[in-house]
Amino acid sequence: MINVYSWPTPNGHKVHIMLEECGLHLGRDWQAIPVNIGTGDQFKPEFLAISPNNKIPALVDPVGPDGQPISVFESGAILLYLAAKTGKLLPKTDRLKFQVLQWLMFQMGGVGPMIGQTHHFRQYAPEKIDYAIKRYTNETKRLYGVMDKQLSTHAFIACDEYSIADIAIFPWLRNWENHGIDWADYPHLKKWFDLISERPAVQRGVKVLAELRRPITDDKAREVLFGKTQYEKR
Ligand SMILES: N[C@@H](CCC(=O)N[C@@H](CS)C(=O)NCC(=O)O)C(=O)O
């Protein structure tokens, strides 16, 4: 049984969706172990032992590539690990594989971090800082524009095959209402978004642990995620 240490956030959803897309089923092949990032589970020594950056998701597979147990953190690395393990969702030819990898990196280095900041300054920051809201909202709109343009000539984000790049990006756009986005400006991206939303494995994946999610409004969660606890030296 693969253990996924996770929480119902975009980075957690990527892995839940990937497992289901690969034909690995929740309860049979894998289980989700909740790491409540609002109460500080991510700082427990046993979690830090597999995820030293104190972030979900992390995966522990009792049967790694050499038959020995393996743990992997960073959602992009986990998607690559599962693609290698199952032979799915990463094209075999180098040309297509690198197309997918570049869009995966685009998500990991751009879409995730930037939309994360947009969300932070629009939703969570205790003061409304106009400069930060504009800076990250504009950057988010720019990234939506890049994806819209790419999807005007490709069926999926990296190429004409569904891949781990689509799985990495999709969960980050589910919160589009909080990103200052008008879908009318991104028709190709909207079409892709609707198509991915309809996939049964995606629908199963986004439900995993969903009942545990709480809005980050209490002082404890803010302190853990954005205050003293987050920045303690460990
Ligand atoms: N680059 C990391 C980012 C992971 C990440 O930011 N996880 C968030 C939830 S989406 C988290 O665990 N936050 C807890 C914390 O910052 O203490 C990945 O893609 O896995």
Side-chain angles (χ1 to χ4, degrees):
M1 178 75 86
I2 295 174
N3 283 334
V4 179
Y5 294 82
S6 194
W7 197 243
T9 66
N11 289 316
H13 286 138
K14 288 179 199 172
V15 176
H16 310 158
I17 291 170
M18 178 67 179
L19 284 154
E20 292 294 316
E21 289 284 14
C22 289
L24 299 168
H25 291 301
L26 182 64
R28 186 189 70 188
D29 306 306
W30 67 281
Q31 59 183 348
I33 299 173
V35 177
N36 187 335
I37 60 172
T39 58
D41 286 353
Q42 70 271 41
F43 302 109
K44 291 183 176 162
E46 59 273 27
F47 182 67
L48 290 174
I50 54 168
S51 187
N53 193 32
N54 67 258
K55 313 248 178 244
I56 66 95
L59 170 149
V60 177
D61 184 351
V63 191
D66 52 3
Q68 298 302 308
I70 186 171
S71 68
V72 187
F73 71 96
E74 279 290 329
S75 60
I78 297 173
L79 295 181
L80 287 168
Y81 175 77
L82 290 169
K85 183 179 173 83
T86 61
K88 295 193 171 144
L89 296 164
L90 183 62
K92 302 281 179 289
T93 63
D94 280 349
R95 178 168 295 280
L96 286 182
K97 183 162 54 183
F98 287 116
Q99 271 176 234
V100 170
L101 290 179
Q102 69 192 354
W103 285 96
L104 177 68
M105 301 301 156
F106 163 85
Q107 188 287 313
M108 294 298 294
V111 171
M114 290 300 129
I115 294 185
Q117 295 303 321
T118 304
H119 202 72
H120 181 85
F121 286 107
R122 293 176 72 97
Q123 303 294 311
Y124 300 144
E127 337 146 39
K128 292 282 167 238
I129 305 165
D130 219 40
Y131 180 87
I133 292 172
K134 277 201 194 119
R135 153 96 182 120
Y136 289 111
T137 303
N138 283 340
E139 178 60 6
T140 295
K141 288 182 178 169
R142 191 187 68 78
L143 290 165
Y144 270 67
V146 170
M147 293 184 279
D148 189 63
K149 191 169 173 199
Q150 170 71 359
L151 286 160
S152 69
T153 53
H154 297 82
F156 293 98
I157 196 74
C159 51
D160 286 331
E161 275 178 47
Y162 179 58
S163 74
I164 53 174
D166 298 286
I167 293 176
I169 291 171
F170 171 77
W172 279 97
L173 306 194
R174 289 179 71 230
N175 242 320
W176 60 272
E177 278 159 312
N178 294 327
H179 303 157
I181 290 300
D182 180 352
W183 274 130
D185 296 332
Y186 313 101
H188 307 290
L189 185 59
K190 175 71 164 81
K191 194 169 153 220
W192 168 91
F193 181 82
D194 289 344
L195 190 77
I196 307 290
S197 307
E198 282 161 17
R199 296 180 68 89
V202 170
Q203 293 183 357
R204 289 197 300 279
V206 297
K207 281 196 197 119
V208 176
L209 303 178
E211 73 286 357
L212 298 178
R213 183 136 200 210
R214 301 278 174 279
I216 302 166
T217 44
D218 62 293
D219 289 346
K220 166 74 181 162
R222 281 174 186 281
E223 197 277 324
V224 164
L225 286 165
F226 316 129
K228 196 165 153 282
T229 304
Q230 180 68 237
Y231 300 110
E232 257 167 40
K233 192 164 192 299
R234 295 187 168 79

